[in-house]
Amino acid sequence: MESAGPLRAFGIRAGAGGVLAGTVDLRFAGEGLAPGQVNVAYGLYPSWRGRGLATRAVVLASRYAAAEGAREAVIQVDPENPASAAVARRAGFVSRFRPPGDTAAARFDRYVRDLRADRSAA
């Protein structure tokens, strides 16, 4: 079992019983990522949306990524998913233009967050 691979997946738990409300994962390598970047992806089950859980999970996952050596976090958002873009902004990410070209990454809006301050606070 590998414990420090390029993908780290976490459950988002909430409520009195710690019910699984969604997931957040980090990819430390992949298409469109520069060295030192980590891709952050997240999702919540519909009944848990609108409570700030995704924002909190993204912030915590970003801190973890910083502690693991990442310098910048990237969230790729479907332009037709404004709720996901709002999570990125609330978690301290700033909008960047779409990457050029005709790649899978070029179909998404990119949001980035500098993690160097997170790493020095860890």
Side-chain angles (χ1 to χ4, degrees), residues 72-106:
E72 187 173 65
V74 177
I75 294 176
Q76 300 180 72
V77 177
D78 183 325
E80 295 186 24
N81 188 346
S84 190
V87 167
R89 287 190 301 273
R90 284 193 304 269
F93 287 70
V94 294
S95 179
R96 296 283 191 251
F97 58 88
R98 289 186 203 166
D102 191 26
T103 65

Side-chain angles (χ1 to χ4, degrees), residues 3-51:
S3 62
L7 171 63
R8 319 280 170 86
F10 305 92
I12 301 170
R13 297 198 172 271
V19 174
L20 185 63
T23 61
V24 62
D25 70 67
L26 302 171
R27 290 192 184 272
F28 288 86
E31 180 185 344
L33 292 177
Q37 288 184 322
V38 59
N39 187 77
V40 181
Y42 46 89
L44 287 175
Y45 300 119
S47 62
W48 292 101
R49 293 177 184 159
R51 302 177 191 203

Side-chain angles (χ1 to χ4, degrees), residues 41-64:
Y42 46 89
L44 287 175
Y45 300 119
S47 62
W48 292 101
R49 293 177 184 159
R51 302 177 191 203
L53 294 172
T55 300
R56 178 76 175 141
V58 167
V59 168
L60 291 173
S62 295
R63 288 181 189 161
Y64 172 86

